Amino acid sequence: MSTAFVHSLEVGLVGVALLAVYTALTTPTVVCLLTLTVLYVIYRRERRKAAGTIPLTDKHVLITGCDSGFGLELAQHLHRRGCHVFATVLNPDSPGAKKLRDVSSPKLSVMPLDVSKDDDVSACLRRVKDVCDNTGLWGLVNNAGINFVGDVELTTMSQYLRVADVNLFGMVRCTRAFLPLIRQAKGRIVNVTSIKGLLPAPVNAAYNITKYGGETFSDIVRLEMKEFGVKVVIIEPGNFGGATGCINSEGMLRIKKDFDSMWDAASDDVKQLFKREHLDRVLAETEAAAGTSYPTVEPVLNTIEEALTSGDPEIRYIIDGSNRLMDKYCMLVRVKHFLPERLFDHLVLYFFPYKVDTNF
C-alpha cells in the first residue's frame, strides 16, 4: 500500500475528528473555518509552485552521521543529483565510510566527525571553510543520532547524557559552528529529528527528550535566522527503524549491551520491581518492531532533497513509515492536538502497551 494512500487515509481520519468538533459549533462558524482551511491549502500550493526549485549542481551540503542509515543513503543520493557533498562519519573505517570513499568522486568528500566533541567540529569546520569560504555552505543536514531504548528508572544518568550529547547537543554544536557559512549562502539547515520528538512513548525517554529538544531548538533557530534568509526545516520520520539498520543484528547487540549496563547499575529495590525478564521482554519487542518498518529510506531521502531544493519548503515534514495499514506513530501525532490529554494517553498506551509484570 502506497505511503501517499496511507497519508490520505490518516488525513481523512483527522478530518472526521475535526468535523466531530465542528458540529458543536454553529453552522456559519463551520463554513467559515472550512473556507479558511481550503483557502490556506490553495495559497500554500500556489506559493510553493511560484517559488520553484533550486538546482544542487553548484551547491555544497554537509551531512552528519553518514556511517549508516539515512546519512549514508542521503550522501549517495545527493551526490547523484550533482551536489558537492561533505559526508561526515564517526568511524572512518566503518563499512559505510569505505562505501562512500569507493565512489572516488571530487564531489564527495568523506570526513571524520564526532558531533559530541568540540575539537572535531572545529576541525571539520576548517576543512569545509577552505572549500566554501567564497560561496558559503548551502546546506547542513544534522542527521547524526543514537537510537536508545530504556525505562525512565532503569536508564542510567550516563546513558541519558550520552544520548543527549549526540542527538541534541551534537545538533547544537554543528549548527553554531556552521551558521556563518550557511548565513553567507542564505542556505538551509535541515534537522532530522523523529516523529518521536512529538510523541511520548514508554521506554523511550532518553531518546525522545533529545528529539523534543531538537524540535524546539530548530524552531528557535528558524525564528532567529529568518531575517538573514536562512531556512530551517525539520524532518520527522516515522517507522523506518528496520530500513536504517538501527535495529538490525548489530543494533540489537548495542541495545542488549545498554540493558546489561542498566541492570548492573540498578539498585536492589529497582531490580526487585522490574526483574531481568522485563528487559528481556522489551528487547524482544524492540527486535520484533523491525518487521513493521517501511522497507526503504527513499521517502526520507526525497523529502530531505525537497527541503534543500524547494524555493519555499515546509517548516516540518512528517514522513509516514511502517509496512502496515498506517504508521501508528504518525497517526497519533496527527490527532494529538484534537483530543483531551487523558484520552490521548489511553490511545498511546493502547498502541504501545506498558506494564511492569511483577509476577515472574
Side-chain angles (χ1 to χ4, degrees), residues 147-152 196 199-209 329:
N147 185 41
F148 192 89
V149 180
D151 304 71
V152 168
K196 291 183 178 181
L199 179 70
V203 302
N204 280 270
Y207 181 81
N208 285 25
I209 59 178
Y329 295 94

Side-chain angles (χ1 to χ4, degrees), residues 159-214:
Q159 289 171 332
Y160 278 109
L161 294 171
R162 175 170 61 89
V163 176
D165 210 14
V166 175
N167 292 5
L168 176 57
F169 295 113
M171 179 185 292
V172 174
R173 283 187 189 90
C174 290
T175 299
R176 291 183 70 253
F178 290 98
L179 254 181
L181 286 175
I182 296 286
R183 195 162 49 234
Q184 180 183 344
K186 294 186 177 180
R188 306 287 167 85
I189 297 172
V190 180
N191 288 336
V192 181
T193 60
S194 168
I195 199 67
K196 291 183 178 181
L198 303 172
L199 179 70
V203 302
N204 280 270
Y207 181 81
N208 285 25
I209 59 178
T210 65
K211 298 302 181 177
Y212 269 79

Side-chain angles (χ1 to χ4, degrees), residues 18-254:
L18 282 172
L19 286 173
V21 174
Y22 288 162
T23 53
L25 305 174
T26 64
T27 301
T29 303
V30 173
V31 173
C32 180
L33 288 172
L34 288 175
T35 301
L36 287 173
T37 300
V38 170
L39 288 174
Y40 178 75
V41 170
I42 295 172
Y43 163 76
R44 281 298 302 157
R45 185 186 65 186
E46 295 303 314
R47 180 184 171 96
R48 285 170 58 79
K49 188 187 301 182
T53 58
I54 300 164
L56 288 174
T57 49
D58 61 341
K59 304 296 187 185
H60 292 80
V61 174
L62 184 143
I63 309 165
T64 66
C66 294
D67 298 79
S68 61
F70 296 141
L72 172 59
E73 299 297 331
L74 181 64
Q76 298 171 93
H77 179 85
L78 294 183
H79 176 259
R80 289 192 293 268
R81 296 293 190 268
C83 182
H84 296 261
V85 178
F86 300 110
T88 70
V89 295
L90 176 63
N91 179 9
D93 296 320
S94 68
K98 292 176 181 177
K99 184 176 183 179
L100 292 173
R101 283 197 299 272
D102 287 344
V103 175
S104 297
S105 168
K107 284 193 168 185
L108 180 57
S109 303
V110 183
M111 301 179 177
L113 174 61
D114 182 342
V115 299
S116 68
K117 295 181 179 178
D118 292 336
D119 290 344
D120 270 32
V121 174
S122 297
C124 183
L125 173 61
R126 287 193 294 270
R127 291 186 61 182
V128 172
K129 196 171 182 180
D130 286 342
V131 178
C132 300
D133 200 26
N134 294 324
T135 62
L137 180 66
W138 175 253
L140 167 64
V141 181
N142 282 308
N143 165 74
I146 298 175
N147 185 41
F148 192 89
V149 180
D151 304 71
V152 168
E153 199 172 0
L154 286 169
T155 302
T156 67
M157 280 312 303
S158 63
Q159 289 171 332
Y160 278 109
L161 294 171
R162 175 170 61 89
V163 176
D165 210 14
V166 175
N167 292 5
L168 176 57
F169 295 113
M171 179 185 292
V172 174
R173 283 187 189 90
C174 290
T175 299
R176 291 183 70 253
F178 290 98
L179 254 181
L181 286 175
I182 296 286
R183 195 162 49 234
Q184 180 183 344
K186 294 186 177 180
R188 306 287 167 85
I189 297 172
V190 180
N191 288 336
V192 181
T193 60
S194 168
I195 199 67
K196 291 183 178 181
L198 303 172
L199 179 70
V203 302
N204 280 270
Y207 181 81
N208 285 25
I209 59 178
T210 65
K211 298 302 181 177
Y212 269 79
E215 293 277 327
T216 299
F217 175 71
S218 302
D219 286 336
I220 293 170
V221 177
R222 182 183 70 254
L223 295 173
E224 291 186 359
M225 290 296 108
K226 187 177 179 63
E227 65 175 299
F228 300 104
V230 173
K231 290 182 170 59
V232 180
V233 181
I234 306 169
I235 304 296
E236 299 161 337
N239 184 2
F240 289 88
T244 61
C246 67
I247 46 179
N248 60 11
S249 56
E250 183 180 349
M252 291 307 301
L253 285 175
R254 285 195 298 269

